[in-house]
Amino acid sequence: MTNSKVMTLLKVVIISGLCLIMLGIYLHLFSQTIDEMGIDGIIISAACVAVGMIMSLPTKMIITFILVKRESEQTERVLDNRI
């Protein structure tokens, strides 16, 4: 899998995670159905937020590592061209 495909996949996972976080917040604050469900409703909204956080946080670190690696490779190329 190429770097561009990995980056695209990770961006999709991040966006999906952020959407799940927003869905969980919406369900917790504004949904009457979740409010009427009681504890089960709280568990559903908390699960949405938790899964969203799990999906969004590690992928940001992976993207950062890929970008740092790419930058170090470019720096090495520039230094090699100067010699």
Side-chain angles (χ1 to χ4, degrees), residues 9-21 47-63:
L9 178 65
L10 291 175
K11 288 178 185 179
V12 168
V13 171
I14 287 173
I15 291 170
S16 300
L18 292 174
C19 289
L20 275 173
I21 292 170
C48 287
V49 172
V51 171
M53 291 181 91
I54 289 169
M55 289 174 69
S56 67
L57 293 177
T59 54
K60 291 177 187 175
M61 294 185 330
I62 292 170
I63 288 176

Side-chain angles (χ1 to χ4, degrees), residues 60-77:
K60 291 177 187 175
M61 294 185 330
I62 292 170
I63 288 176
T64 303
F65 292 144
I66 290 173
L67 292 175
V68 167
K69 181 180 175 185
R70 184 181 296 164
E71 183 178 340
S72 68
E73 289 173 355
Q74 288 177 352
T75 304
E76 288 177 6
R77 281 189 223 137

Side-chain angles (χ1 to χ4, degrees), residues 5-36:
K5 288 183 181 179
V6 170
M7 294 290 281
T8 304
L9 178 65
L10 291 175
K11 288 178 185 179
V12 168
V13 171
I14 287 173
I15 291 170
S16 300
L18 292 174
C19 289
L20 275 173
I21 292 170
M22 289 187 290
L23 175 66
I25 291 170
Y26 169 77
L27 290 175
H28 186 71
L29 295 177
F30 303 112
S31 178
Q32 292 297 325
T33 306
I34 295 294
D35 190 33
E36 293 169 359

